């Protein structure tokens, strides 16, 4: 695991988008694992800007989202399909047939979960998985005690996740209490992983996830087992980290980061 600290959330999102863009330019058929949530919105804005201004080409890219609510139609504004179309897919040149999310409306959820895993494999597995982290340490919707080997499955959400995410619904009571999520094991199968964390509210859980013990109580701590996981955080999220000096030193000195050190002073964010 490698962790770098950026001055603010905008710069952190710009860095993550730049890492995705680099991977896509190197491999146009990239299989990209995607997350939703507030943190990711700025990453998608940056990627849309890169598509518009720099010709970043998504025409051959395939995407698999981490999760989807159970029982919401894809045209419901709270669904993750709607989020992805609205924040990202509608603004880039991706073929919608190459964008996959779990089927939260399936009558047979177990079969839909198995099929999702099979489809990921048919496309050769995920090259690069983007992740955010929940206040309870979840990645995807792998709530506390999710098995570290778990696969795509239906899962009950915690009251805290429901409280946080229901604010994104026009009628908070409409938020489903269950979701389909890739498992921790599914996520760990990705060839590379980038976790993006910003804001003071995430400082404590970030420190637990990256510097604490590996435990099913904090699903994100399983990322310590992955050999190619990068964690990009802003100053606010970094305040509880013990080895901040080392993480800053890495970004300033390691050759892999050199091309990203001179970021545009204020990475432009497009309103969508
Ligand atoms: C969403 C997902 C979740 C979010 C996490 C953080 O697809 O997988 O794990 O990444 O809940 O959400 P925000 O960014 O809204 O704090």
């Amino acid at each position: 695991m490698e962790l770098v600290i950026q001055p603010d959330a905008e710069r952190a999102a710009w860095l993550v988008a730049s890492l995705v863009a680099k991977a896509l330019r190197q491999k146009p058929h990239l299989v990209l694992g995607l997350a939703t949530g507030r943190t990711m919105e700025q990453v998608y804005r940056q990627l849309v800007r890169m598509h518009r201004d720099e010709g970043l080409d998504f025409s051959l890219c395939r995407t698999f989202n981490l999760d989807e609510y159970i029982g919401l139609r894809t045209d419901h504004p709270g669904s993750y399909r709607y989020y992805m179309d609205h924040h990202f897919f509608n603004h880039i040149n991706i073929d919608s047939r190459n964008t996959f999310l779990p089927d939260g409306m399936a009558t047979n959820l177990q079969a839909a979960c198995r099929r999702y895993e099979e489809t990921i494999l048919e496309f050769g597995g995920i090259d690069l998985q983007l992740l955010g982290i929940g206040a309870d340490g979840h990645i995807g919707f792998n709530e506390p005690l999710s098995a570290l080997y778990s696969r795509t499955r239906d899962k009950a959400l915690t009251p805290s996740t429901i409280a946080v995410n229901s604010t994104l619904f026009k009628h908070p009571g409409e938020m489903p209490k269950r979701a389909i999520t890739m498992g921790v094991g599914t996520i760990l199968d990705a060839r590379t992983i980038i976790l993006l964390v910003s804001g003071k509210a995430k400082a404590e859980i970030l420190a637990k996830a990256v510097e604490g013990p590996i435990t099913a109580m904090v699903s994100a701590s399983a990322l310590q087992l992955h050999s190619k996981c990068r964690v990009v955080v802003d100053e606010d999220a970094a305040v509880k980290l013990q080895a901040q000096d080392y993480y800053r030193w890495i970004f300033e000195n390691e050759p892999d980061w050199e091309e990203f050190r001179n970021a545009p002073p204020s990475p432009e964010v497009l309103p969508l």
Side-chain angles (χ1 to χ4, degrees), residues 35-39 66-67 80 132-134 138-140 202:
T36 63
R38 295 172 181 91
T39 315
L66 286 166
D67 39 21
Y80 282 170
I133 188 172
H138 70 218
I139 46 176
K202 299 280 178 69

Side-chain angles (χ1 to χ4, degrees), residues 4-9 11-12 14-15 232-235 251 260:
V4 294
I5 302 173
Q6 297 294 291
D8 50 46
R11 201 67 78 93
W14 176 86
L15 179 56
V232 178
V233 310
D234 71 352
E235 286 287 351
F251 189 69
F260 302 108

